[in-house]
Amino acid sequence: MPHTQSISDKIIGRLSLYRRMLERGDSSGEPLDHVFSHELASMAGVSAVLVRRDLMTIGFSGNPKKGYNAGELIASIGAFLDAPGGQNACLVGVGNLGRALLAYFIYRRPKLPIAAAFDNDPELAYRVIRGCRCHPIHDMPRIIAQERIRVGIITVPADSAQLVADQLLRAGVTGLLNFAPVALRVPPSVYVDNIDMTTSLEKVAFFARQPAREKEVAK
Amino acid sequence: MPHTQSISDKIIGRLSLYRRMLERGDSSGEPLDHVFSHELASMAGVSAVLVRRDLMTIGFSGNPKKGYNAGELIASIGAFLDAPGGQNACLVGVGNLGRALLAYFIYRRPKLPIAAAFDNDPELAYRVIRGCRCHPIHDMPRIIAQERIRVGIITVPADSAQLVADQLLRAGVTGLLNFAPVALRVPPSVYVDNIDMTTSLEKVAFFARQPAREKEVAK
DNA sequence: GCCTGTGAAGCTATTCACAGCT
DNA sequence: AGCTGTGAATAGCTTCACAGGC
């Protein structure tokens, strides 16, 4: 891969989705052998051309007779998306939402485990919550360095989110998945994905009231 | 508002965000009197021109001397986004994630309450979970009609998401907030917002590894 | 001078249209 | 015939640039 002219955010998201659709297999759960672009497109809810373009950008080729080899495609997407030796993430804020996410992500992507959680509640310190060890905040620099963590998931209340983000970045994190409803202020070298559930709900409520003729899907 | 030439998804999302920033007030939590577009922009993490354009599309005007009146702007966004008499939502799938969302949304937007939850676990039937009454799935048509619910939040496992979506639509729902990692198949008149946390985490992990020079924000 | 409001330009993402393969 | 691969066209979103003024 010589140049990799900075692949867009959206393409990465779709590749992740394609992989999951391929892993899930066909409607009866059987592993797929080959897929055509229009089949994968319909599973992922996008157009067939878009699938072909996306696969083009990772340099994966199909065959006009049989389509794309599913196993090879899963492997190619993995080679592109995943860190070769795996990659650890951490989560800060072990409240209701944090616990739900720990439970949600555990075992889901073995190459991208949540290796540590942090919370400032002393009750939680050093306990294992939903399969993940919880540490006090002041251990953050040590643990993040030890585990080589570069991804932080923020599930703290809005008021403390910026503070937590600053601490994570200082400890070496370079990508944030932020569930707090604030716009984090970070240097441009840091990637942030915001999941703002209140905005999402308000959007759905708004369009649910509109007469008709709408588009679907999002992200 | 005579025409309303189908406002985009993204603008609605930002309006929701602007409102929340305005409600939060300034850095010390004091209510704001007036704001300039660049102030609101910095709170929301977008450009000042974009703020001005967005407010233009809802027909809200500022004043070159003082900026925008914060109270009036909050009210204008509310008049635009909210259903006049409030609007009920429901949630299906009272597992870890569902409970966390019930807790998260309660009291957050009084004009958009989650009025009912559904789950097929008989243990949960008719109990109040996180302040929300939980009903068996077979009560869905009745409750959704009674409560005039048009918004459904899907927090069930991927395998049952399509089934649940079909049931919700049959009962009269016209907008879905889907947390299950599948592309739901719905008629084009139905609006769907997908929150795919696995994809988001994979995106963050990918960009966290990239050398530098990235953009931020998302959605 | 500093802000709002906005036509026009610029970018990015997606689709169109079709050449080429098997 | 039906599919992949891709230049060209289109659509949609954001920024530029500047006119005008609680």
Side-chain angles (χ1 to χ4, degrees):
Chain A
M1 256 168 255
H3 38 49
T4 315
Q5 30 121 45
S6 87
I7 302 284
S8 101
D9 186 70
K10 297 201 164 173
I11 296 183
I12 299 299
R14 286 193 300 263
L15 288 172
S16 155
L17 184 59
Y18 299 156
R19 168 163 68 175
R20 230 140 358 107
M21 296 301 123
L22 292 167
E23 285 171 346
R24 197 189 308 287
D26 67 13
S27 46
S28 54
E30 289 299 301
L32 291 160
D33 189 51
H34 282 74
V35 276
F36 292 119
S37 62
H38 67 262
E39 295 174 317
L40 186 49
S42 121
M43 291 186 251
V46 301
S47 75
V49 207
L50 197 46
V51 168
R52 296 203 297 274
R53 276 223 185 270
D54 289 341
L55 300 194
M56 215 177 79
T57 69
I58 62 167
F60 189 84
S61 305
N63 153 339
K65 252 325 195 327
K66 314 194 70 186
Y68 300 93
N69 179 307
E72 286 177 13
L73 180 48
I74 291 175
S76 272
I77 295 178
F80 188 84
L81 284 189
D82 299 334
Q87 183 172 197
N88 287 330
C90 72
L91 178 145
V92 189
V94 187
N96 279 314
L97 185 59
R99 282 162 212 249
L101 291 185
L102 289 175
Y104 183 87
F105 283 122
I106 196 169
Y107 307 136
R108 205 166 275 256
R109 287 255 80 101
K111 301 195 71 171
L112 184 49
I114 300 184
F118 300 97
D119 200 290
N120 59 11
D121 179 353
E123 280 288 304
L124 297 174
Y126 311 116
R127 282 179 49 201
V128 173
I129 314 282
R130 305 282 200 271
C132 183
R133 177 79 61 182
C134 185
H135 305 267
I137 300 275
H138 62 76
D139 280 353
M140 198 186 272
R142 185 172 58 77
I143 307 265
I144 285 182
Q146 263 174 23
E147 304 284 340
R148 289 181 182 69
I149 290 172
R150 305 192 63 179
V151 173
I153 303 172
I154 298 180
T155 47
V156 299
D159 335 334
S160 21
Q162 182 64 56
L163 178 65
V164 163
D166 294 342
Q167 291 174 304
L168 284 167
L169 299 195
R170 243 195 325 273
V173 161
T174 52
L176 295 172
L177 180 52
N178 174 40
F179 285 83
V182 292
L184 298 176
R185 209 169 291 273
V186 299
S189 60
V190 174
Y191 181 85
V192 181
D193 192 357
N194 293 298
I195 294 190
D196 184 337
M197 301 187 298
T198 303
T199 285
S200 291
L201 184 60
E202 291 190 341
K203 264 169 39 177
V204 173
F206 177 84
F207 287 111
R209 289 203 313 280
Q210 297 313 101
R213 175 175 43 92
E214 295 299 337
K215 39 179 196 172
E216 52 172 309
V217 161
K219 272 287 154 78
Chain B
M1 256 166 252
H3 38 47
T4 315
Q5 29 121 47
S6 87
I7 303 284
S8 101
D9 188 70
K10 296 201 165 172
I11 296 185
I12 300 298
R14 286 193 301 262
L15 288 171
S16 157
L17 184 60
Y18 299 156
R19 168 162 69 174
R20 234 148 347 115
M21 296 301 124
L22 292 167
E23 285 171 346
R24 197 188 310 285
D26 66 13
S27 46
S28 54
E30 290 299 301
L32 292 160
D33 189 51
H34 282 74
V35 274
F36 291 119
S37 63
H38 67 261
E39 296 174 316
L40 186 50
S42 121
M43 292 187 250
V46 302
S47 77
V49 207
L50 197 47
V51 169
R52 296 205 295 276
R53 273 218 187 272
D54 288 342
L55 301 194
M56 216 177 78
T57 69
I58 62 164
F60 190 83
S61 305
N63 154 336
K65 256 320 197 331
K66 314 193 70 182
Y68 300 92
N69 179 306
E72 285 177 15
L73 180 48
I74 291 175
S76 271
I77 295 178
F80 188 83
L81 284 189
D82 299 334
Q87 183 171 197
N88 288 329
C90 70
L91 178 146
V92 189
V94 187
N96 279 314
L97 184 59
R99 282 162 212 250
L101 291 185
L102 289 175
Y104 184 86
F105 283 122
I106 196 169
Y107 308 136
R108 205 166 274 256
R109 288 253 79 102
K111 301 195 71 171
L112 185 48
I114 301 184
F118 300 96
D119 199 289
N120 59 11
D121 179 353
E123 279 288 304
L124 295 173
Y126 311 116
R127 281 180 49 200
V128 173
I129 313 282
R130 304 284 200 268
C132 184
R133 177 79 59 180
C134 186
H135 305 267
I137 300 274
H138 61 74
D139 281 352
M140 198 186 271
R142 186 171 58 77
I143 308 264
I144 285 182
Q146 262 174 25
E147 304 285 340
R148 289 181 183 69
I149 291 171
R150 307 192 62 180
V151 173
I153 304 170
I154 298 180
T155 47
V156 299
D159 335 334
S160 22
Q162 182 64 57
L163 179 64
V164 163
D166 293 342
Q167 292 173 302
L168 283 167
L169 299 195
R170 245 195 324 274
V173 161
T174 52
L176 295 172
L177 180 53
N178 175 40
F179 285 83
V182 291
L184 297 177
R185 209 170 292 275
V186 300
S189 60
V190 174
Y191 181 86
V192 181
D193 193 357
N194 293 298
I195 295 190
D196 184 338
M197 301 186 300
T198 303
T199 285
S200 292
L201 184 59
E202 290 189 344
K203 264 167 42 174
V204 173
F206 178 84
F207 287 112
R209 290 202 313 279
Q210 297 314 103
R213 173 176 44 91
E214 293 301 336
K215 39 178 199 170
E216 51 173 308
V217 162
K219 271 295 153 82

